[in-house]
Amino acid sequence: MKSSLYISTLFITFLIIGISGNVYAQLSPGELSAKHAEFEGLSNCTQCHSIGSGVPDTKCLDCHKEIKLLKTQNRGYHASSEAKNKKCVECHSDHHGRNFDMAKFNEKTFNHSLAGYKLEGSHTKVNCKDCHKSEFIKDAKLSKRSRTFLGLSQKCIICHVDYHQGTLKENCAACHNLIKFRPAPKFNHDAASFKLIGAHKKISCIACHKVIKQNGKDFQQFTELKHANCIDCHRDIHDGKFGINCMKCHNENSFRELKQTSGFNHNQTRFPLTGMHTDLQCRQCHKSNSYTKTIKFNSCTDCHSDYHKGEFKRKGKIMDCKECHLLTQKFNITSYTAGQHNSGKFPLQGAHLATPCISCHKYKGGWKFAGIATMCTDCHTNPHDNQMSKTYYEDSKCMNCHNENNWNEINFDHKKTKYELEGKHKQATCRTCHYPISKQENKVTQKFNSLTNDCSICHQNVHGNQFVINNKTDCKRCHGKSTAWEANLFDHNKTRFPLDGKHQQLPCKSCHKNKADTGNSVLIEYKLNKLSCIDCHS
């Protein structure tokens, strides 16, 4: 007792008289660590030490209140079986120098279960620093420490972003495990307000719980979803025609399974039955065991074979049969009109309007409609082939001369040829010159390329060979463009016998008499070799 009192008195005396640094250095076991450096000096020894009883835990816990709280609450490592019966100084001794690490904590070998939080699943793969961050510590004082493993809550949202943005409870482990957030294997949909039945069990969560943007972030909605009626999620393909209670006809296993079929009104569907469709049996169109299995019906060829084998297309797509046929009649009856035909590549005009379809659209193992040639000679025989120059009907365009009303109606500009029609020739028909009747063979012959512009080709030469020059009789030397054969171009004064005096008043026949020709025909003699007066006058 006296020894203890003596030591205490001596210690207090040293404090009062303020002993020098050399004396303190001799008494101190060593420098304090950087964390305790503020307590350096003999005047601070009792901050941690109790005279005669070393360093009690109470002194440590008076400063380290966060540890004291954990031990009081029986939480954390210091409340574990490994640490709770140890004194603080057993693990955290000091006076070993400024750089001494009092914690002596090995992150690699530390058993995290002793801290009251067992690392499981993906947590076993993360680095300590990924979780023990100042920004995850709510306590302001603790968060300022450069290195601490204290102050973390065990709630998931302390470290992880709340993807549900507060719409669900914070007990993430109720639905998720520690391996990965997706899927949520612990979630039981039967505990929700919408139990999964039938086909609903087979669909993915995302099919109903869509990802949207909320608060600028991706957000998958799990709450406040409408589900009172099927149409809250499913599109009403009937557009409200059958009401909103889908369960009257369907079940949760499949929309294609119907509860009833009798009394069904097909006219309330997208394909009302009209015409010959009304006499069909359901199975003729609905060939599977399900009446609700989608079948195509946008065009006739979805059910019927295309008799025309792709003949009728518009912009690469097969035209619908209803453009030419009616539902009230069989396919062999057409509603295609001349007006519709006129909107095509070959409008019907003139005599073509009265021509039966089968005259042009021949049956050759099947009816042919599209791709029919449109040139006249594709259907009609060309009577001028090799007889007329292609110059006048290039590409066999008969319409250059003819029209579609009647082949005999011809409108050709003869000026395009080398022989312009003048005088009486304007009144003549084409056949007069181009289809003469051969007297020898008593038949009509066609002449176009073989026809020359010699008058004698068509007209009889009544003068014989009297006016032949270079083996040709040119009537136009005497006869002009008049409508008769008057020799209005003949000038007697240019002959060997110019007319003078009374001769000018005489008619031609006074001098030019009829004369028998060598061919027993009679002709008027114009070339007279008697030019003396006595040849005519006695």
Side-chain angles (χ1 to χ4, degrees):
M1 184 67 181
K2 289 181 180 182
S3 175
S4 297
L5 181 59
Y6 173 77
I7 295 172
S8 298
T9 302
L10 180 62
F11 181 76
I12 293 172
T13 302
F14 275 121
L15 292 178
I16 293 173
I17 63 176
I19 61 175
S20 66
N22 290 331
V23 175
Y24 169 72
Q26 292 176 358
L27 293 175
S28 174
E31 259 190 331
L32 293 174
S33 65
K35 295 292 185 181
H36 287 161
E38 61 181 297
F39 302 119
E40 199 74 73
L42 288 175
S43 60
N44 291 317
C45 293
T46 56
Q47 295 284 339
C48 298
H49 299 273
S50 290
I51 298 174
S53 60
V55 183
D57 287 350
T58 55
K59 290 280 188 178
C60 298
L61 297 176
D62 284 342
C63 285
H64 298 281
K65 291 181 173 58
E66 69 278 6
I67 302 296
K68 182 179 181 180
L69 179 62
L70 289 171
K71 288 174 68 70
T72 302
Q73 295 176 348
N74 198 29
R75 293 190 300 113
Y77 170 74
H78 293 91
S80 68
S81 58
E82 183 178 282
K84 67 180 180 179
N85 294 323
K86 288 183 179 181
K87 291 184 178 183
C88 299
V89 294
E90 291 184 45
C91 298
H92 308 291
S93 62
D94 205 342
H95 292 287
H96 301 292
R98 283 286 190 268
N99 298 323
F100 179 68
D101 185 3
M102 294 178 62
K104 292 184 292 187
F105 178 67
N106 190 333
E107 296 180 7
K108 295 182 179 179
T109 60
F110 179 69
N111 181 2
H112 211 286
S113 299
L114 296 174
Y117 188 83
K118 183 180 180 180
L119 296 182
E120 298 177 294
S122 296
H123 285 153
T124 60
K125 302 175 184 179
V126 299
N127 192 285
C128 301
K129 294 179 182 180
D130 293 336
C131 297
H132 295 282
K133 296 179 180 180
S134 59
E135 55 262 36
F136 293 160
I137 301 174
K138 289 187 175 181
D139 188 289
K141 291 182 179 180
L142 289 176
S143 65
K144 293 179 180 179
R145 294 184 180 182
S146 60
R147 180 191 179 199
T148 182
F149 292 94
L150 301 175
L152 282 185
S153 170
Q154 294 187 9
K155 292 182 178 179
C156 301
I157 59 174
I158 296 299
C159 296
H160 300 278
V161 176
D162 181 10
Y163 182 75
H164 304 297
Q165 299 188 25
T167 57
L168 297 177
K169 295 180 180 180
E170 294 183 358
N171 184 15
C172 305
C175 300
H176 304 276
N177 59 31
L178 297 174
I179 299 175
K180 58 182 179 178
F181 278 114
R182 294 181 182 179
K186 296 180 182 181
F187 177 71
N188 181 9
H189 217 293
D190 289 344
S193 57
F194 186 82
K195 294 183 179 181
L196 299 182
I197 304 174
H200 286 143
K201 292 182 177 180
K202 301 176 183 178
I203 62 175
S204 62
C205 305
I206 196 71
C208 298
H209 301 282
K210 306 294 184 182
V211 175
I212 62 174
K213 285 289 184 182
Q214 183 167 296
N215 298 322
K217 298 179 180 179
D218 287 342
F219 173 72
Q220 190 170 12
Q221 190 174 10
F222 289 100
T223 61
E224 298 182 4
L225 291 176
K226 293 182 179 180
H227 54 76
N229 298 300
C230 300
I231 58 174
D232 289 332
C233 293
H234 301 278
R235 183 176 67 86
D236 180 10
I237 62 172
H238 306 302
D239 295 327
K241 294 177 181 177
F242 304 118
I244 61 173
N245 185 11
C246 306
M247 299 299 290
K248 286 193 304 182
C249 301
H250 305 277
N251 59 45
E252 291 94 342
N253 294 322
S254 173
F255 277 121
R256 306 188 191 285
E257 293 182 10
L258 295 182
K259 293 180 179 179
Q260 57 181 359
T261 56
S262 60
F264 181 71
N265 184 2
H266 212 288
N267 292 337
Q268 289 183 311
T269 69
R270 289 180 292 163
F271 190 81
L273 298 182
T274 58
M276 300 192 73
H277 286 150
T278 58
D279 297 329
L280 298 177
Q281 296 295 319
C282 303
R283 294 289 181 182
Q284 289 181 259
C285 297
H286 300 279
K287 296 181 180 180
S288 66
N289 293 327
S290 174
Y291 285 110
T292 57
K293 182 178 181 180
T294 303
I295 58 175
K296 294 181 179 180
F297 58 85
N298 291 326
S299 62
C300 301
T301 53
D302 288 332
C303 292
H304 303 278
S305 60
D306 179 16
Y307 177 84
H308 303 293
K309 298 179 180 179
E311 272 191 299
F312 297 110
K313 289 184 177 181
R314 183 181 291 126
K315 294 181 179 180
K317 185 179 180 181
I318 295 177
M319 296 167 57
D320 201 25
C321 307
K322 65 184 179 183
E323 296 195 34
C324 301
H325 302 277
L326 298 174
L327 285 172
T328 54
Q329 297 174 322
K330 292 184 177 181
F331 278 119
N332 60 354
I333 301 175
T334 180
S335 61
Y336 192 72
T337 64
Q340 288 174 287
H341 204 294
N342 290 343
S343 65
K345 296 181 180 179
F346 191 83
L348 298 179
Q349 297 175 340
H352 285 143
L353 283 168
T355 304
C357 304
I358 58 175
S359 296
C360 299
H361 301 285
K362 305 293 185 181
Y363 183 86
K364 296 179 180 180
W367 294 107
K368 181 73 174 176
F369 292 95
I372 299 296
T374 57
M375 300 299 296
C376 301
T377 53
D378 292 326
C379 292
H380 303 278
T381 302
N382 181 8
H384 306 306
D385 193 28
N386 299 322
Q387 295 291 331
M388 183 183 293
S389 172
K390 296 294 183 181
T391 303
Y392 306 116
Y393 69 118
E394 186 180 359
D395 297 329
S396 300
K397 291 181 179 178
C398 304
M399 300 295 290
N400 288 350
C401 300
H402 303 276
N403 60 47
E404 293 174 280
N405 296 321
N406 192 320
W407 285 115
N408 294 326
E409 294 181 9
I410 299 172
N411 183 21
F412 177 71
D413 185 5
H414 222 283
K415 292 180 181 179
K416 295 179 179 179
T417 69
K418 296 179 180 179
Y419 191 83
E420 182 179 353
L421 298 182
E422 300 174 308
K424 280 282 189 179
H425 285 150
K426 290 183 179 180
Q427 301 173 9
T429 65
C430 302
R431 300 186 68 85
T432 303
C433 298
H434 296 288
Y435 285 91
I437 299 175
S438 174
K439 293 181 180 180
Q440 291 81 5
E441 300 178 6
N442 194 26
K443 68 177 183 179
V444 176
T445 58
Q446 181 181 177
K447 290 185 178 182
F448 284 96
N449 290 336
S450 62
L451 190 64
T452 69
N453 56 5
D454 290 344
C455 301
S456 60
I457 295 297
C458 295
H459 302 281
Q460 181 183 357
N461 184 3
V462 297
H463 304 304
N465 294 323
Q466 296 181 80
F467 301 109
V468 173
I469 298 177
N470 295 326
N471 297 321
K472 180 180 178 181
T473 299
D474 187 4
C475 305
K476 290 185 291 183
R477 287 162 46 206
C478 299
H479 302 283
K481 300 178 182 179
S482 63
T483 56
W485 281 107
E486 290 89 352
N488 55 346
L489 297 180
F490 178 71
D491 186 0
H492 215 291
N493 293 329
K494 293 181 179 181
T495 67
R496 291 178 298 164
F497 190 83
L499 296 181
D500 295 319
K502 286 289 188 177
H503 285 151
Q504 294 179 352
Q505 301 174 7
L506 294 176
C508 300
K509 64 181 179 179
S510 298
C511 299
H512 300 284
K513 307 292 185 180
N514 290 339
K515 179 184 178 180
D517 192 14
T518 55
N520 295 324
S521 61
V522 179
L523 54 82
I524 299 174
E525 185 178 17
Y526 285 100
K527 289 207 172 186
L528 302 174
N529 292 319
K530 298 177 181 180
L531 304 177
S532 298
C533 297
I534 60 174
D535 291 332
C536 293
H537 302 280
S538 59

